[in-house]
Amino acid sequence: MGRGPGEYLGISDFATAPDGSVWIEDAVANNLIHYGKDLRHICTVPTSYDADCMEFLEDGNLIVNLSHWNPDLIRIAVTDTLFGEENRRTVIRYNYEPNPYVHYGSGQLNKVREGWLHNYPPFGDVYLFNSRDGELKQHCFLDFGPDKITPEDVLEVGDGNDDMKLIQSIDDHIFLLKIANLSDDYVIGRMNDKGQYTDFIADRKNRIIYKSKPGSPSRILGQSGEWTVSLVTPTRTKPATD
């Protein structure tokens, strides 16, 4: 750690380029650090904004989720590796005013066969972007009913100095944490169910088909391409000798 060539103060994310080199986002020092395939330092590029997560597209550009700490910048954008304002293209802007002091979870970019999936907790918007150039392919909204969290609920938490307000907000509402897979018919993900993390399968009409029991050991680990991986510890109902 440090401010010298190839050093960093706080890594928020990294991405591997098509040529095998590695780019690391230093959100504390506001730098993008480039390393070769051999992990030798190539250059450090000052950036004008932070990215909560970033991934390379097939055309060599980056798709990034801009930092939640600045509510004016929360959006998905496509940029080159210089992170310059002049070469940045906004793909989506969120349809709510977030609270920069309150953090319900990190925005994500998950690779699936159809492209890059994105959601940003706590709201139920799910986006699918083209893996070639980052253009928006699909958008759906998961409505968890009358107990779903609203922008007004998030703003009421205030400036983040009262931890109990945030805990109460989590315990009182249902909201999307992570989207794992999206098809023409179904949605797979994880949600906060009034303070309990549960995995779920729902149809595109928001009808929950399956929901794991609160506190159960099953959980979605991640996904890549055509695969979604979950960890499940089965409950044995018969003696092991059977």
Side-chain angles (χ1 to χ4, degrees):
M1 295 183 66
R3 294 186 179 273
E7 297 177 344
Y8 58 87
L9 296 180
I11 293 173
S12 60
D13 200 14
F14 75 95
T16 304
D19 64 2
S21 63
V22 179
W23 292 80
I24 290 177
E25 164 73 0
D26 183 349
V28 177
N30 293 322
N31 287 326
L32 196 64
I33 309 171
H34 188 197
Y35 303 87
K37 290 178 64 175
D38 58 1
L39 300 184
R40 294 178 183 271
H41 177 241
I42 296 175
C43 65
T44 297
V45 180
T47 63
S48 58
Y49 53 88
D50 295 334
D52 284 334
C53 56
M54 62 183 187
E55 297 289 351
F56 271 95
L57 298 166
E58 293 170 6
D59 64 6
N61 286 321
L62 285 159
I63 182 168
V64 298
N65 184 90
L66 303 191
S67 178
H68 70 280
W69 297 114
N70 187 337
D72 296 326
L73 291 181
I74 295 187
R75 58 179 180 255
I76 291 289
V78 172
T79 178
D80 59 20
T81 50
L82 296 179
F83 268 36
E85 297 276 353
E86 65 279 3
N87 293 321
R88 189 178 70 199
R89 170 169 55 90
T90 297
V91 182
I92 60 167
R93 297 186 71 97
Y94 296 157
N95 58 0
Y96 60 87
E97 289 297 327
N99 186 338
Y101 305 106
V102 179
H103 194 42
Y104 289 88
S106 299
Q108 316 171 55
L109 288 165
N110 299 323
K111 187 71 170 71
V112 294
R113 178 179 54 186
E114 295 81 6
W116 287 101
L117 272 179
H118 170 72
N119 75 285
Y120 200 98
F123 299 103
D125 293 284
V126 177
Y127 302 93
L128 177 64
F129 301 101
N130 190 307
S131 58
R132 180 176 55 82
D133 56 11
E135 286 296 323
L136 179 63
K137 293 176 63 176
Q138 287 190 51
H139 168 240
C140 70
F141 179 77
L142 298 181
D143 187 342
F144 292 110
D147 292 323
K148 68 176 178 292
I149 202 164
T150 67
E152 291 74 24
D153 296 323
V154 175
L155 292 175
E156 285 179 3
V157 175
D159 60 6
N161 290 323
D162 188 345
D163 290 340
M164 290 307 299
K165 283 187 176 181
L166 177 59
I167 293 172
Q168 195 63 51
S169 173
I170 292 173
D171 289 345
D172 288 346
H173 297 100
I174 300 174
F175 56 83
L176 180 64
L177 289 169
K178 178 179 182 179
I179 183 69
N181 219 328
L182 177 71
S183 72
D184 293 337
D185 301 308
Y186 302 107
V187 182
I188 301 175
R190 172 173 286 186
M191 64 181 180
N192 171 78
D193 189 353
K194 296 186 176 181
Q196 299 286 343
Y197 289 177
T198 63
D199 296 334
F200 71 91
I201 299 173
D203 64 16
R204 294 289 290 267
K205 297 179 181 178
N206 296 307
R207 182 174 61 89
I208 299 292
I209 297 170
Y210 166 80
K211 185 171 67 172
S212 62
K213 295 179 180 179
S216 69
S218 65
R219 61 191 180 97
I220 296 171
L221 299 180
Q223 60 288 321
S224 179
E226 300 181 14
W227 289 88
T228 297
V229 180
S230 65
L231 174 67
V232 179
T233 303
T235 301
R236 183 177 293 277
T237 58
K238 295 183 178 181
T241 54
D242 290 349

